[in-house]
Amino acid sequence: MSAASAKPGSLTILALGPVDSTNAEARRRAEAGAEHGTLLWATSQTKGRGRRGREWVSPEGNFYASLVLRPTCPATEAMQLAFVAALAVGSFLSDHLAETVALGYKWPNDVLVDGRKIAGVLAESVMGEGEGVRWVILGVGVNIASHPEGVEWPATSLRAAGVEIPEMAELAKAFGCALLYCYDEWQEEGFRPIRKAWLKRAVGLGGPIRVRLEKETFEGTFVDLDEDGALLVLREGEKRPSRVTAGDVFPVGVFGKH
């Protein structure tokens, strides 16, 4: 996969200064008719958000971007696009990281370098007519020059990994092209190749994990992803794995914190 693989003219890049949130700005522009393939990237965010409304600290020097997509798919399949975005982040990061660095994906939306979080994905959508969606916003935050300390899951950045900091405009183009390439593959071939590629780098696959839901926390073995992208966890004493569609996942024993 390479940045040059995206279809010519399919990506429109808009460079912004500080914004409240690239996802919020992308939503406003999508409502105003922004075309499929419109990528917005900002120098910083004053109200950056992660999953479940969590704050995403967004100082200058890191990469914040959101892509407007107008997919032809049922709303039930839109969650698969978070995996598409994770693979795109992994693709363009791999161009800058040494081959000895371990790149991994933590369900449902984190990208890790040597076990530490370097990027997160936030997918949001709005329903259209029938069971389809009007548009999907894929937001990403990538730690380039700095990373937060004292967070629940240890973080890192490209600078901390010893990488020479690339130009943000180059990163925006590389990420946007990689994402549209993955998106086109998903539209043409379905979730199967995306799922297969994600599982190759899945953190915790086959091992014990702790799953924290809104009203429950339990442990089990991470056995697979289902065909929709839901996490399959086999609890002790059960014959069939539980299907998890939303929650926080922590491979047991990693960093000794969870």
Side-chain angles (χ1 to χ4, degrees), residues 70-79 81 125-136 186-187 228:
R70 298 186 181 276
T72 303
C73 72
T76 54
E77 294 179 4
M79 68 176 287
L81 287 169
S125 62
V126 165
M127 291 289 294
E129 295 182 3
E131 298 181 353
V133 294
R134 287 172 53 200
W135 44 258
V136 175
W186 174 76
Q187 284 273 267
D228 294 321

Side-chain angles (χ1 to χ4, degrees), residues 103-107 197-206 222 225:
L103 183 70
Y105 304 120
K106 186 169 81 70
W107 191 91
W198 189 94
L199 282 170
K200 283 184 178 180
R201 296 183 183 268
V203 174
L205 181 62
F222 174 13
L225 289 183

Side-chain angles (χ1 to χ4, degrees), residues 25-233:
E25 180 65 17
R27 287 176 65 99
R28 291 189 286 266
R29 294 186 183 234
E31 289 289 354
E35 294 184 356
H36 173 87
T38 300
L39 177 72
L40 297 84
W41 68 274
T43 56
S44 63
Q45 300 179 118
T46 58
K47 296 180 181 178
R49 292 179 293 114
R51 291 174 55 249
R52 300 187 176 186
R54 295 168 180 152
E55 180 185 11
W56 184 278
V57 179
S58 308
E60 288 192 22
N62 293 337
F63 181 65
Y64 316 106
S66 295
L67 183 70
V68 178
L69 295 174
R70 298 186 181 276
T72 303
C73 72
T76 54
E77 294 179 4
M79 68 176 287
Q80 298 171 4
L81 287 169
F83 298 92
V84 172
L87 290 182
V89 172
S91 175
F92 90 91
L93 282 179
S94 65
D95 290 337
H96 300 280
L97 296 167
E99 292 183 1
T100 55
V101 172
L103 183 70
Y105 304 120
K106 186 169 81 70
W107 191 91
N109 68 339
D110 293 340
V111 181
L112 310 184
V113 166
D114 285 340
R116 295 176 176 269
K117 182 173 178 177
I118 197 169
V121 174
L122 178 62
E124 299 180 303
S125 62
V126 165
M127 291 289 294
E129 295 182 3
E131 298 181 353
V133 294
R134 287 172 53 200
W135 44 258
V136 175
I137 304 296
L138 290 181
V140 300
V142 185
N143 297 330
I144 304 296
S146 65
H147 60 274
E149 301 287 351
V151 288
E152 187 173 31
W153 187 274
T156 190
S157 62
L158 281 184
R159 175 170 287 168
V163 176
E164 184 177 349
I165 304 301
E167 290 289 333
M168 288 295 181
E170 293 179 12
L171 280 182
K173 181 178 180 181
F175 167 70
C177 289
L179 183 45
L180 285 183
Y181 177 90
C182 291
Y183 171 83
D184 288 343
E185 182 179 37
W186 174 76
Q187 284 273 267
E188 293 168 7
E189 301 184 36
F191 186 53
R192 181 170 294 181
I194 301 297
R195 173 179 171 273
K196 181 179 180 181
W198 189 94
L199 282 170
K200 283 184 178 180
R201 296 183 183 268
V203 174
L205 181 62
I209 60 171
R210 179 172 293 117
V211 179
R212 188 172 64 203
L213 308 178
E214 186 174 350
K215 297 181 180 180
E216 176 189 14
T217 297
F218 66 89
E219 293 187 5
T221 300
F222 174 13
V223 295
D224 206 350
L225 289 183
D226 74 4
E227 296 302 319
D228 294 321
L231 185 75
L232 297 179
V233 182

Side-chain angles (χ1 to χ4, degrees), residues 221 223-224 231-235 238-243:
T221 300
V223 295
D224 206 350
L231 185 75
L232 297 179
V233 182
L234 185 63
R235 305 195 204 193
E238 294 188 349
K239 294 183 178 180
R240 288 189 174 185
S242 299
R243 184 174 184 270

